[in-house]
Amino acid sequence: YYRRAVWVGLHSGDIHVYSRGSCGQWETNSPAILEVGPSPITSLAIGGSGILYAASGTTIAVIDADSTEIERSFEVEAKWENGRVQEAGHVTHLACAGLGLWVARADSANLWVYHTETYNLIQSVDLSDNIPRVLVGGRGVQGSVVITSLAVSTGLLWVGTNMGLALTVPLPRLGGVPSIYSSA
C-alpha cells in the first residue's frame, strides 16, 4: 500500500495498481496495469518523493507512484570475477535509504548500491567474508551465503541470510549511501 493505492507485482512481470473509486470502494475490476518486464516481479520498494522501485529479472523500473507511470528502467550490473563477467542472477530484494538503492540478487552474498538520482552503481559489498567471523564457536559455513531479506529501519540496513544471521549495516544520517570497505 503506497500513495493511496495497492501495488501488486505479478509473475507475468506486470504490476496491477488498485485504487479507490469516487464512492470510496476499491476498484478491483479495473486496475492500472504497468508492464515492467518479461520476468516475475520479485521486489517492490518505496523510494523518496513518490517513487516506487520494481524488480523484474535484472531490470529495475523507476515508477512515479502519483501518475502510475514508469519513468525509466535500468539494468543491474553483473558481478566481475577474475576480470570476467560472471552469470548474474535476477534481483530478489530491494531496499531504499536516502540516495541509496540497495539491491540483492539470487544466490548471492553481494549487495549492490545504486544512486537514486543517477542510477549509477556506487558500491558492491560482499557479505560472505563477514559471516564466518560472527558465527559462535568457530563453526564453519556450510554452503554458500545467500541474502534472503533486506529492510531499512532506524538508520540501519538489516540483511537476513540463509545462515540464520541478520547483519546490520549502519547508514549515514545524510543520503543513505555508505562507505563500506571489506578487507581482502
Side-chain angles (χ1 to χ4, degrees):
Y1 184 81
Y2 183 56
R3 298 280 180 155
R4 294 172 279 166
V6 175
W7 300 75
V8 181
L10 302 177
H11 192 267
S12 65
D14 294 344
I15 294 176
H16 285 198
V17 185
Y18 298 93
S19 56
R20 293 184 185 267
S22 58
C23 297
Q25 298 292 331
W26 287 104
E27 298 288 337
T28 58
N29 293 327
S30 57
I33 299 173
L34 301 172
E35 296 177 9
V36 177
S39 300
I41 302 296
T42 53
S43 186
L44 296 170
I46 296 171
S49 303
I51 296 295
L52 186 74
Y53 298 98
S56 170
T58 59
T59 300
I60 298 176
V62 182
I63 302 167
D64 181 325
D66 294 324
S67 68
T68 63
E69 292 182 6
I70 297 173
E71 286 186 353
R72 69 172 292 174
S73 61
F74 65 97
E75 292 288 321
V76 293
E77 296 186 21
K79 180 180 177 184
W80 287 83
E81 284 184 16
N82 301 326
R84 298 185 332 179
V85 175
Q86 300 299 312
E87 188 63 33
H90 65 276
V91 174
T92 56
H93 300 88
L94 298 172
C96 191
L99 296 176
L101 176 64
W102 295 80
V103 178
R105 298 173 76 167
D107 303 321
S108 177
N110 289 304
L111 284 172
W112 285 263
V113 187
Y114 289 85
H115 196 280
T116 59
E117 292 175 353
T118 64
Y119 304 108
N120 292 329
L121 178 65
I122 298 170
Q123 192 167 8
S124 175
V125 181
D126 185 354
L127 299 177
S128 63
D129 295 339
N130 297 318
I131 301 295
R133 289 189 291 197
V134 297
L135 289 175
V136 179
R139 68 176 195 205
V141 174
Q142 302 294 321
S144 298
V145 176
V146 175
I147 295 170
T148 58
S149 61
L150 285 179
V152 173
S153 177
T154 319
L156 294 172
L157 175 70
W158 291 81
V159 184
T161 69
N162 64 326
M163 297 294 158
L165 294 173
L167 304 174
T168 57
V169 176
L171 297 171
R173 289 180 188 235
L174 296 174
V177 178
S179 291
I180 301 171
Y181 300 96
S182 297
S183 58

